Amino acid sequence: MKTAVGMAKYNTLALIFADFKEITKVRLAVSVVFSSIAGYFLGAYEINLLSIFLLAFGGYCMVGASNAFNQVIERDLDALMKRTRNRPIPSGRMSVSTAMTIAIILTLLGVITLYLLNPKTSMFGAISIFLYTSVYTPLKTKTPLSVFVGAFPGAIPFMLGWVAATNDFGIEPGTLFMIQFFWQFPHFWALGWMLHEDYERGGFKMLPTGKKDAGTALQIIMYTIWMMVISVIPVFGITGRLTLSIPAAVIILMLGGVMLFYAFKLYAKRDTITAKKLMLASVSYITLVQIIYVIDKFI
């Protein structure tokens, strides 16, 4: 009997934890934390483990809060789409009030934790939540320009780590911001291409032309090229302490070339399979670029 009760409690806790991960989008949150820590390593004169912990915890809280607010706002639309209808709120496993409580607590924890690093880091974290929930989220059903607006909070994490390490915003974190800013367009448009029909069910306008057409594919190519250019600008020695060696720049250009290849292929074929390959290539790109920047600094 005790074993059965114990198992029931374990299963209940496991389900609660699973829903918490879903409401905070744990994979996305972890990738954002990774970007922030990469930015921290680039900016830090010396590594402080407590600062890394505060950045990771505070960053997760801020991203988790944004995602929780987003799912509260979009709960009715999520119920219309195949990929989101089983989320905690539309499925009925979590109430709106519970999700809001989680979002508010995470916001407070995130703001306070990042403030312990320095006020600028906390400010940028708070700005990202505001832009994501109050501007980007409502615009998703109004205009494809929502992707442009959403690119601003999405580009903050990489530069946030630098600000956390230095308590300063200048050319270096600005460059890190621009790298992740331009990367988001081919990434999210590839994702939008893959999920276009599902997004239409929810009324979301995610592709720049509203269609899976040559115009959208051409814009993906253009923004991929801009992303590649911005990603190697530090090699020219014009971005302060943020530098990049020639071998590292060549590798980054080669990685960008993979994305560009799939972007051109998408223009030619205009199919979902190629869009998925481009999306996966973009995920690999931003992760590897951040790793290369960090390794290049320390070798």
Side-chain angles (χ1 to χ4, degrees):
M1 184 67 177
K2 288 183 178 179
T3 302
V5 171
M7 284 299 297
K9 288 182 178 179
Y10 174 80
N11 290 333
T12 300
L13 289 173
L15 289 173
I16 291 172
F17 183 61
D19 281 343
F20 177 81
K21 291 193 297 182
E22 181 71 19
I23 203 75
T24 60
K25 292 187 182 179
V26 63
R27 290 183 182 179
L28 174 61
V30 169
S31 69
V32 169
V33 168
F34 179 86
S35 295
S36 299
I37 292 175
Y40 175 88
F41 276 112
L42 291 175
Y45 292 99
E46 57 182 39
I47 306 303
N48 184 294
L49 293 179
L50 177 59
S51 295
I52 292 175
F53 171 78
L54 292 174
L55 179 62
F57 180 77
Y60 189 99
C61 287
M62 300 299 261
V63 180
S66 296
N67 291 324
F69 281 127
N70 173 265
Q71 290 183 48
V72 168
I73 296 168
E74 294 181 348
R75 60 189 183 277
D76 294 331
L77 301 179
D78 281 347
L80 302 176
M81 297 185 291
K82 291 180 180 179
R83 72 182 188 90
T84 56
R85 63 179 52 158
N86 196 43
R87 283 177 173 174
I89 301 175
S91 68
R93 298 193 309 273
M94 183 180 292
S95 67
V96 173
S97 60
T98 298
M100 278 296 293
T101 300
I102 291 172
I104 292 169
I105 290 174
L106 289 177
T107 299
L108 294 174
L109 285 174
V111 169
I112 293 169
T113 302
L114 295 182
Y115 189 85
L116 294 176
L117 286 167
N118 58 65
K120 286 189 179 71
T121 304
S122 183
M123 177 190 70
F124 281 121
I127 288 173
S128 70
I129 290 182
F130 173 78
L131 289 176
Y132 190 86
T133 60
S134 301
V135 185
Y136 166 67
T137 296
L139 282 178
K140 287 165 68 177
T141 57
K142 306 296 182 184
T143 172
L145 287 173
S146 61
V147 174
F148 173 78
V149 175
F152 283 89
I156 286 177
F158 199 15
M159 71 103 174
L160 190 73
W162 186 289
V163 176
T166 64
N167 193 26
D168 182 54
F169 182 85
I171 185 66
E172 299 93 345
T175 303
L176 298 180
F177 176 91
M178 294 303 292
I179 291 171
Q180 201 152 6
F181 180 82
F182 280 99
W183 165 81
Q184 287 178 91
F185 293 95
H187 173 73
F188 281 108
W189 285 336
L191 184 64
W193 191 297
M194 288 169 50
L195 302 172
H196 181 63
E197 289 75 18
D198 210 20
Y199 276 132
E200 282 192 321
R201 294 187 189 97
F204 295 114
K205 305 177 188 298
M206 304 304 290
L207 296 179
T209 67
K211 302 175 183 178
K212 298 192 289 185
D213 60 7
T216 289
L218 183 60
Q219 291 199 50
I220 289 174
I221 291 171
M222 292 171 60
Y223 276 90
T224 300
I225 293 171
W226 274 112
M227 175 202 74
M228 293 171 65
V229 172
I230 296 297
S231 294
V232 296
I233 276 183
V235 77
F236 298 105
I238 58 175
T239 52
R241 286 203 300 122
L242 182 65
T243 60
L244 193 66
S245 68
I246 292 176
V250 170
I251 295 172
I252 288 172
L253 284 175
M254 291 172 63
L255 292 171
V258 175
M259 279 185 63
L260 191 60
F261 168 78
Y262 285 119
F264 274 109
K265 193 173 181 180
L266 182 62
Y267 181 84
K269 300 187 73 172
R270 300 175 203 172
D271 63 335
T272 301
I273 293 175
T274 306
K276 184 176 181 179
K277 289 179 179 178
L278 174 59
M279 189 276 294
L280 292 174
S282 71
V283 172
S284 298
Y285 176 85
I286 195 64
T287 303
L288 291 173
V289 164
Q290 290 166 352
I291 291 173
I292 290 168
Y293 262 87
V294 173
I295 292 176
D296 193 57
K297 173 185 175 180
F298 289 101
I299 63 173

